[in-house]
Amino acid sequence: MKIGMVGAGQFSPSFTGLWQLHPDVDEVWITDVVPERAENLAKKYALAGTYPSFEAMLESDLDAVALLTQRWTHAPQAIQALRAGKHVYSAVPMATRTDEIADIIQAVLDTGKVYMLGETHWYYPQVIWARQAQAEGKFGRLFYGEGDYVHDMDHGFYAAYQYSGGDQWKSTASYPPMLYPTHSTGGVLGAWPDAVPVSVSALGVVDNRGDGVFDKDVSMFGNDMSNMSALIELSDGGMVRINEFRRVGMAGQIDESTHRWYGTDGMFDQGARVNKFYSRDETIDLTEDLRIGRADLSAEELQGIDPALVESFASGVARVHDRNRLPVEYDGAHNGHNGAHHYLADDFVRAVKSGLQPPLNAWNAARINLGGIVAWDSVRQAGARLPVPQFGACPLPIVDVTTPAR
């Protein structure tokens, strides 16, 4: 297969390299609204070539496109690409409006093409362990979960927005936290497979930093809130609380994402440094099994990356990660986001090759995005409890990504 990368930003090299290594990928191409960035990346990593525009890429013979573009552009580009006959890998979030999600799902049904959301937390070690524990019945009935994405703006976000937003970066850095919910929801619901959000109530904290970022007069989203919390009702009677915070006094070296699951027979608590599972009879310390090994990047690879974001670009894996399901070519390859990049890259290729939908298909992507989209509406309505649109489960066959590749 041939893949076209849309966007030559800081994360693009992480995935161009993995798809170049994959035995089922023949060519990787690139395009960017800043042509020099695409040309430089293509030359540096010996890609197959560049396209002058996204539209030109859609008119080509490429099989698939990977969208690593601005957050609010993902849905329109995904719909356009699916309708053009391309398989789609999309960075998070899936969309910023519920009608966009409906249009993506309809495009998948109409075209039969693969849509995959690249949510990294699906393959965080804590989520993998909890997903397995839930399948084995260790939690009993899950009734409550928590997901936090606590990422202070000072920990690399200023630099990231300046890189992607140009002179108008402050207008985009005010992106509403609840419109980027999938690190918190994707973790919790990633281990709670049958639960679907049905209603949500959310509140936000007006920012008082005064640096012109969360300023309604500057924000292209009309947003002046940096921290938001939501309580989500689930279809099975359970509930999930998520926090999306962008102003918080927290050390940058601590993982900004934490998750907790509470069941009638057991509970899992992911702390900043310790991970434990509790039942009525025992306490199991999972810290070492879920600890991510270190990975070092060269000075050249680290060039232009804010030190606070290095862990997102370079990580090892944990004991709970099943390496046998991955191509042997990925051994020792560049990884990121707590070991997730290898699995995301391979999932997409497996889905396209098989013609089946991936685990993070459009319906599952909707499940972890919709609560945040409606939560943003709730925030602007002083915490009103609002219904979440329902799209059901994926009606199409899903590829088995657990089959060993070696």
Side-chain angles (χ1 to χ4, degrees):
M1 59 182 286
K2 301 177 183 179
I3 299 177
M5 302 285 295
V6 187
Q10 292 177 313
F11 270 118
S12 293
S14 299
F15 286 92
T16 56
L18 292 176
W19 281 321
Q20 280 181 299
L21 285 172
H22 202 288
D24 293 319
V25 176
D26 297 319
E27 298 176 7
V28 179
W29 294 72
I30 188 82
T31 189
D32 195 279
V33 292
V34 182
E36 295 79 11
R37 285 185 180 177
E39 291 163 5
N40 291 339
L41 193 146
K43 182 177 180 180
K44 182 176 181 178
Y45 295 98
L47 303 184
T50 66
Y51 282 95
S53 67
F54 177 52
E55 288 70 24
M57 186 173 277
L58 296 186
E59 294 172 358
S60 73
D61 66 347
L62 294 180
D63 300 289
V65 296
L67 308 175
L68 281 82
T69 50
Q70 296 279 39
R71 298 171 182 181
W72 54 93
T73 66
H74 295 165
Q77 289 177 336
I79 296 164
Q80 188 178 354
L82 289 166
R83 295 293 180 187
K86 308 299 184 189
H87 303 288
V88 171
Y89 176 97
S90 174
V92 296
M94 180 185 193
T96 61
R97 305 196 314 265
T98 57
D99 63 309
E100 292 177 328
I101 289 180
D103 289 344
I104 290 174
I105 288 174
Q106 191 60 52
V108 172
L109 289 172
D110 291 344
T111 65
K113 295 298 179 181
V114 165
Y115 173 92
M116 175 173 163
L117 187 71
E119 174 43 57
T120 55
H121 287 56
W122 196 264
Y123 285 117
Y124 269 37
Q126 292 82 4
V127 179
I128 291 174
W129 192 93
R131 185 160 56 235
Q132 294 171 346
Q134 168 66 351
E136 295 167 5
K138 291 182 179 179
F139 286 109
R141 179 196 176 189
L142 281 173
F143 62 87
Y144 178 75
E146 296 179 348
D148 302 329
Y149 183 51
V150 181
H151 194 145
D152 190 87
M153 289 290 294
D154 290 315
H155 296 156
F157 265 0
Y158 282 108
Y161 278 112
Q162 288 165 2
Y163 182 90
S164 62
D167 293 339
Q168 304 300 314
W169 71 271
K170 286 188 177 181
S171 69
T172 63
S174 59
Y175 192 83
M178 277 298 161
L179 288 185
Y180 195 75
T182 60
H183 291 344
S184 52
T185 58
V188 176
L189 296 178
W192 204 330
D194 298 324
V196 178
V198 294
S199 74
V200 61
S201 175
L203 295 172
V205 176
V206 175
D207 190 60
N208 64 358
R209 183 76 166 264
D211 62 0
V213 172
F214 293 99
D215 183 333
K216 278 189 175 180
D217 295 332
V218 176
S219 171
M220 66 179 286
F221 312 100
N223 177 44
D224 60 359
M225 298 182 186
S226 52
N227 297 329
M228 299 179 184
S229 296
L231 184 63
I232 302 172
E233 176 194 12
L234 300 179
S235 56
D236 64 357
M239 55 187 169
V240 167
R241 190 270 298 143
I242 63 170
N243 287 327
E244 291 288 337
F245 295 162
R246 304 297 178 262
R247 300 283 198 203
V248 58
M250 181 175 172
Q253 294 75 30
I254 295 175
D255 196 332
E256 67 271 9
S257 299
T258 57
H259 306 92
R260 284 157 295 281
W261 294 268
Y262 292 75
T264 53
D265 293 334
M267 61 170 287
F268 178 98
D269 183 16
Q270 177 190 357
R273 302 293 188 192
V274 178
N275 297 280
K276 292 186 177 182
F277 177 79
Y278 304 90
S279 69
R280 293 186 181 86
D281 303 318
E282 61 180 342
T283 297
I284 304 174
D285 192 330
L286 299 165
T287 305
E288 290 305 313
D289 284 337
L290 305 182
R291 190 185 302 280
I292 293 291
R294 289 192 56 81
D296 296 320
L297 291 181
S298 66
E300 181 182 14
E301 290 173 311
L302 287 172
Q303 187 176 4
I305 298 176
D306 189 289
L309 294 177
V310 168
E311 295 300 323
S312 296
F313 291 85
S315 79
V317 293
R319 294 175 184 172
V320 75
H321 283 120
D322 178 11
R323 300 292 302 172
N324 287 323
R325 59 143 289 191
L326 296 172
V328 68
E329 289 85 352
Y330 280 11
D331 289 351
H334 186 118
N335 207 341
H337 278 100
N338 286 0
H341 289 187
H342 288 187
Y343 298 90
L344 294 174
D346 184 54
D347 279 7
F348 184 58
V349 175
R350 286 197 189 210
V352 172
K353 181 181 177 182
S354 67
L356 307 178
Q357 295 299 312
L360 278 164
N361 52 69
W363 288 263
N364 232 348
R367 193 169 67 95
I368 63 176
N369 275 259
L370 282 165
I373 292 175
V374 179
W376 172 227
D377 291 336
S378 176
V379 166
R380 290 177 291 176
Q381 297 179 43
R385 184 175 177 181
L386 302 175
V388 177
Q390 301 297 300
F391 293 97
C394 179
L396 305 175
I398 299 173
V399 64
D400 178 9
V401 295
T402 65
T403 306
R406 58 180 81 183

